[in-house]
Amino acid sequence: MARRRMLVLCPFPRDTAAGQRLKYEPYFDDWRAQGWDIDVSPFCDRQLWRVLYQPGGIGAKVLGTVRGYARRLADLGRLRRYDLVYVYLWVTPLGPALFERLVLRLARAVVYDLEDNIVAGQEPRADNHPNPLVRWLKGAGKARVMVARADAVIVASPYLVGPARARNLARQVRCIPPSLDTDRICPVSCARAPGARVVIGWTGTFSSRIYLDDIAGALRALARRVPFTLRVIGNFDYAIDGVVCEVVRWSAAHEARDLQSLDIGIYPLRDDAWTRGKAGLKIIQYQAAGLPCVASHVPLSAVQLRDGESGFLVRDHAEWVDRLERLVRDADLRRRMGAAGRADAVALYSRSAIAPAYRAVLDLVATADA
């Protein structure tokens, strides 16, 4: 069978951004085995990546952005050499969807992979911003253009399938959740020492700390009932009065070890249109590490978590306190729920479980373009 060529257009260099690392990047070798030759073109090179989220460095950021646009102009000139163009999130970060429209026009076939709920206009950093200049700079319409005209669309949440399919002219939308290397992120092999403080953990970035803030009162109430440590794995400092807190700076190198240092994972969330588009990655991570999870009772959590078996779904302050107290006090319950969650993670979110879904999308588009 003749080899086919794929160009991947993505925001960031390989093995850097979580969205890319936990979605399509791990499957390149599998795709190559299926007959694809793959070239990857990130908008952001490694020079820009190193300064992108650091304070200052305006000159370096501007130069990096200029290099990114020059790279995209070169990409436009070679699109016809490829059987398929795979676009993750956007082609360029700023302004209207000009480059996206050009890719859709010039490419033989396009697969569009998006995350969260930007397709429905819920992206809080763009469409909902009160400043029209910021909305323009953030390119709020890029996702909707791509969803409408791509040959196939991949979403990360079942909540997004309906809205995306309603927009997509080809009606080809598939839900493929994030996946994990469940051989790397796995349960810890040794038990915690008797009498050691139970560690309740949360992992995330500063953009989602508002959900952790939402349960600060419940964690304070819990601290008055049982001893525990709250360990925050993220990129910001954090503290709650009356709660013993530890902050661990997230790193890819230590990700598995940091998860294994926890006894319980928590996933507080609000039930709104934006959060319904999330992929529930935190639950998947906790489960892969063999941890029981306590999560807000929102639609996606109810799909990923078996209430009373692999964790608890909670609706209010009192339930947060009650379910966490039960887990803190009962090591056997933690082990049983953690084992059930681990089984779900391997069966549903491991690389071997997710790989066939990507192959099916690529085969669908390649067959249609033949």
Side-chain angles (χ1 to χ4, degrees):
M1 184 175 67
R3 304 285 298 178
R4 295 167 293 184
R5 300 192 66 192
M6 178 194 305
L7 176 64
V8 177
L9 302 179
C10 54
F12 307 111
R14 190 173 179 184
D15 295 324
T16 56
Q20 297 178 184
R21 287 189 301 106
L22 299 171
K23 293 198 75 182
Y24 63 89
E25 283 185 352
Y27 300 97
F28 285 166
D29 287 343
D30 185 70
W31 298 353
R32 291 186 180 103
Q34 299 300 311
W36 291 96
D37 293 327
I38 303 168
D39 293 326
V40 180
S41 178
F43 180 89
C44 172
D45 57 26
R46 293 191 180 273
Q47 283 180 273
L48 178 56
W49 173 256
R50 284 193 290 268
V51 301
L52 187 61
Y53 294 107
Q54 302 300 319
I58 298 300
K61 292 173 184 177
V62 170
L63 286 175
T65 302
V66 170
R67 290 195 302 271
Y69 274 93
R71 194 174 300 112
R72 285 294 179 257
L73 286 171
D75 289 334
L76 292 178
R78 60 177 179 151
L79 289 180
R80 297 299 295 177
R81 304 176 198 169
Y82 294 90
D83 301 285
L84 171 65
V85 177
Y86 190 107
V87 179
Y88 177 67
L89 291 189
W90 37 258
V91 179
T92 61
L94 306 176
L98 173 62
F99 278 79
E100 285 74 15
R101 292 180 187 277
L102 288 171
V103 168
L104 289 163
R105 179 182 293 271
L106 296 172
R108 294 181 182 180
V110 176
V111 170
Y112 180 51
D113 189 345
L114 78 159
E115 63 181 359
D116 294 330
N117 208 3
I118 52 180
V119 62
Q122 298 295 334
E123 216 285 277
R125 293 161 295 181
D127 278 17
N128 296 341
H129 200 285
N131 188 325
L133 177 60
V134 171
R135 291 200 299 271
W136 182 85
L137 287 173
K138 290 291 186 179
K142 293 173 181 288
R144 290 191 291 278
V145 169
M146 292 299 300
V147 166
R149 296 178 53 192
D151 297 279
V153 176
I154 296 172
V155 298
S157 166
Y159 179 82
L160 297 183
V161 172
R165 187 169 290 147
R167 288 180 179 271
N168 182 245
L169 297 177
R171 298 293 187 267
Q172 297 295 341
V173 178
R174 301 290 187 275
C175 177
I176 304 180
S179 61
L180 294 173
D181 182 347
T182 50
D183 293 328
R184 185 177 68 88
I185 299 181
C186 57
V188 67
S189 58
C190 58
R192 188 173 298 281
R197 290 175 70 95
V198 169
V199 179
I200 298 174
W202 178 91
T203 179
T205 65
F206 63 88
S207 63
S208 54
R209 65 169 291 172
I210 57 172
Y211 307 121
L212 189 55
D213 292 340
D214 286 345
I215 64 166
L219 293 170
R220 276 193 292 267
L222 180 67
R224 292 193 290 267
R225 301 171 69 92
V226 290
F228 71 92
T229 296
L230 175 68
R231 185 165 295 157
V232 175
I233 304 170
N235 61 354
F236 60 93
D237 294 326
Y238 195 77
I240 300 175
D241 290 340
V243 176
V244 177
C245 294
E246 296 177 359
V247 174
V248 175
R249 296 294 172 181
W250 182 90
S251 75
H254 301 151
E255 181 181 40
R257 184 193 68 189
D258 292 339
L259 287 167
Q260 290 167 344
S261 74
L262 310 178
D263 296 294
I264 303 165
I266 55 174
Y267 188 44
L269 212 60
R270 300 171 187 175
D271 186 7
D272 56 33
W274 167 247
T275 60
R276 288 187 182 188
K278 285 185 169 293
L281 174 61
K282 292 183 180 67
I283 293 179
I284 300 171
Q285 289 177 309
Y286 299 144
Q287 290 181 327
L291 303 175
C293 179
V294 181
S296 298
H297 197 307
V298 298
L300 184 60
S301 299
V303 170
Q304 293 180 320
L305 201 61
R306 291 181 285 137
D307 189 28
E309 296 181 42
S310 60
F312 290 116
L313 297 170
V314 296
R315 299 180 185 273
D316 55 32
H317 172 101
E319 290 187 353
W320 273 106
V321 176
D322 175 76
R323 304 309 190 269
L324 284 171
E325 182 177 0
R326 288 169 60 181
L327 284 167
V328 170
R329 291 185 182 277
D330 192 338
D332 287 336
L333 179 62
R334 295 198 301 270
R335 282 191 288 271
R336 290 197 305 272
M337 286 189 163
R342 168 68 183 180
D344 288 346
V346 172
L348 301 174
Y349 304 109
S350 62
R351 300 277 164 80
S352 59
I354 297 297
Y358 278 107
R359 289 183 214 138
V361 172
L362 299 184
D363 288 345
L364 170 73
V365 175
T367 301
D369 187 56

